[in-house]
């Protein structure tokens, strides 16, 4: 199996796992609030539906997608919320679930059939097929975390978290860019311990500025699903320490993050 096919397979598995979490929900549970302010479980699935459909458009009709980018530039702080709200308000839970399933299946088929070397336009830089699939894994996992938190469910971490960590590391300079801050020139070393004990590492081994901690905690940090003070992610060096305060794995404006559950210390 090729690397691209493996990543797309992981995307399917991540989506299927979230599907298992929501498929048996009663109609009233779809309106349960999640940790994202103003977003119910229905909004979370509607957002994934919208993003899958926009990704499909980007992969199949670059000109039409350029129109979506123009709309986003007109309302950079609200276009994501608007997309989720429009779908969530228009569809009953069963119809929303069906639309999400259909959209992600179509996107998977297009990604699998894309010629080698394909670059897909996006709201940030164009992405390879593997990078687009990785971004969809990250989004699915992050919004799935919001849903799990809303339902009081503890999810078992999987090896797919390495994709979330990877995109979080690769998006380091973007986190500075969207805040108007000059990114550090030097590379950081990031060492993360997977639940099974495996070390997931990025960057030059002898880099003086370093980040370390549990893999799942780092993923919660870069997707802004938990406050840094509630996580066991540590930095060595002032630039690495600053990055942990602003890290984001997703495209778009700087997110507000989450309030701490306990002490505010990093």
């Amino acid at each position: 199996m090729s690397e691209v096919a493996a990543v797309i397979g992981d995307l399917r598995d991540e989506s299927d796992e979230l599907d298992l979490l929501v498929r048996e929900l009663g109609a009233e549970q779809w309106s349960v609030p999640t940790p994202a302010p103003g977003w119910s479980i229905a909004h979370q699935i509607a957002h994934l539906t919208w993003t899958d459909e926009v990704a499909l458009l980007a992969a199949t009709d670059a000109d039409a997608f350029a129109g979506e980018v123009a709309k986003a530039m007109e309302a950079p702080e609200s276009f994501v919320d608007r997309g989720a709200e429009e779908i969530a308000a228009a569809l009953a839970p069963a119809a929303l679930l069906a639309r999400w399933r259909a959209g992600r299946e179509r996107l998977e088929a297009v990604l699998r059939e894309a010629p080698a070397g394909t670059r897909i336009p996006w709201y940030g830089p164009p992405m390879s097929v593997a990078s687009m699939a990785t971004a969809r894994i990250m989004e699915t996992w992050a919004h799935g975390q919001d849903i799990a938190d809303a339902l009081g469910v503890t999810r078992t971490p999987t090896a797919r978290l390495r994709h979330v960590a990877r995109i979080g590391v690769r998006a380091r300079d973007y986190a500075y860019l969207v805040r108007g801050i000059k990114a550090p020139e030097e590379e950081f070393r990031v060492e993360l311990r997977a639940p099974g004990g495996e070390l997931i590492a990025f960057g030059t081994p002898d880099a003086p500025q370093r980040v370390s901690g549990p893999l799942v905690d780092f993923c919660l940090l870069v997707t802004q699903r938990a406050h840094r003070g509630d996580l066991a992610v540590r930095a060595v060096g002032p630039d690495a320490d600053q990055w942990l305060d602003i890290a984001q794995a997703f495209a778009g404006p700087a997110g507000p993050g989450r309030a701490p559950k306990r002490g505010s210390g990093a």
Side-chain angles (χ1 to χ4, degrees):
M1 180 185 296
S2 71
E3 178 182 356
V4 174
V7 177
I8 295 172
D10 282 347
L11 172 57
R12 169 178 279 272
D13 291 344
E14 191 66 40
S15 299
D16 287 347
E17 183 175 293
L18 178 54
D19 198 305
L20 285 172
L21 192 60
V22 301
R23 65 174 56 177
E24 300 298 332
L25 294 181
E28 71 285 352
Q29 289 177 289
W30 284 83
S31 62
V32 169
T34 69
W39 279 30
S40 65
I41 290 175
H43 285 94
Q44 299 284 349
I45 296 299
H47 171 71
L48 292 176
T49 301
W50 174 81
T51 315
D52 283 341
E53 291 175 355
V54 172
L56 179 65
L57 184 67
T60 57
D61 191 336
D63 290 339
F65 176 71
E68 293 300 314
V69 173
K71 293 178 186 177
M73 292 179 67
E74 292 173 358
E77 302 294 335
S78 62
F79 78 99
V80 170
D81 292 299
R82 186 175 65 244
E85 177 61 37
E86 289 175 353
I87 293 175
L91 299 175
L96 173 58
L97 187 58
R99 181 165 165 178
W100 175 47
R101 288 170 173 167
R104 71 185 202 238
E105 288 175 3
R106 289 195 301 270
L107 178 60
E108 178 185 342
V110 167
L111 294 180
R112 288 190 183 280
E113 295 167 3
T118 293
R119 304 291 294 178
I120 301 173
W122 198 235
Y123 294 100
M127 293 193 284
S128 68
V129 172
S131 292
M132 175 60 80
T134 299
R136 301 309 308 130
I137 292 171
M138 180 271 295
E139 284 257 357
T140 303
W141 181 82
H143 291 282
Q145 186 63 45
D146 284 341
I147 292 171
D149 288 343
L151 296 172
V153 172
T154 299
R155 301 191 296 175
T156 301
T158 74
R160 296 188 296 273
L161 285 177
R162 70 188 187 278
H163 298 301
V164 181
R166 179 175 180 271
I167 200 169
V169 171
R170 289 175 62 88
R172 187 199 75 166
D173 289 1
Y174 181 80
Y176 287 91
L177 176 66
V178 295
R179 290 166 174 81
I181 305 172
K182 186 179 186 299
E185 294 183 3
E186 66 180 284
E187 187 178 32
F188 301 157
R189 175 69 169 179
V190 178
E191 295 184 347
L192 308 169
R193 190 66 62 178
E198 177 189 3
L199 181 66
I200 309 295
F202 306 90
T204 305
D206 59 353
Q209 301 211 56
R210 312 173 73 83
V211 168
S212 62
L215 174 62
V216 65
D217 281 24
F218 181 79
C219 292
L220 289 167
L221 179 77
V222 299
T223 57
Q224 298 187 1
R225 259 53 193 181
H227 189 275
R228 180 183 176 184
D230 294 322
L231 302 170
V233 182
R234 300 293 178 258
V236 174
D239 293 332
D241 186 71
Q242 181 190 39
W243 177 46
L244 294 189
D245 286 333
I246 65 172
Q248 67 178 68
F250 49 88
R258 298 284 161 83
K261 294 180 179 178
R262 51 183 173 81
S264 60

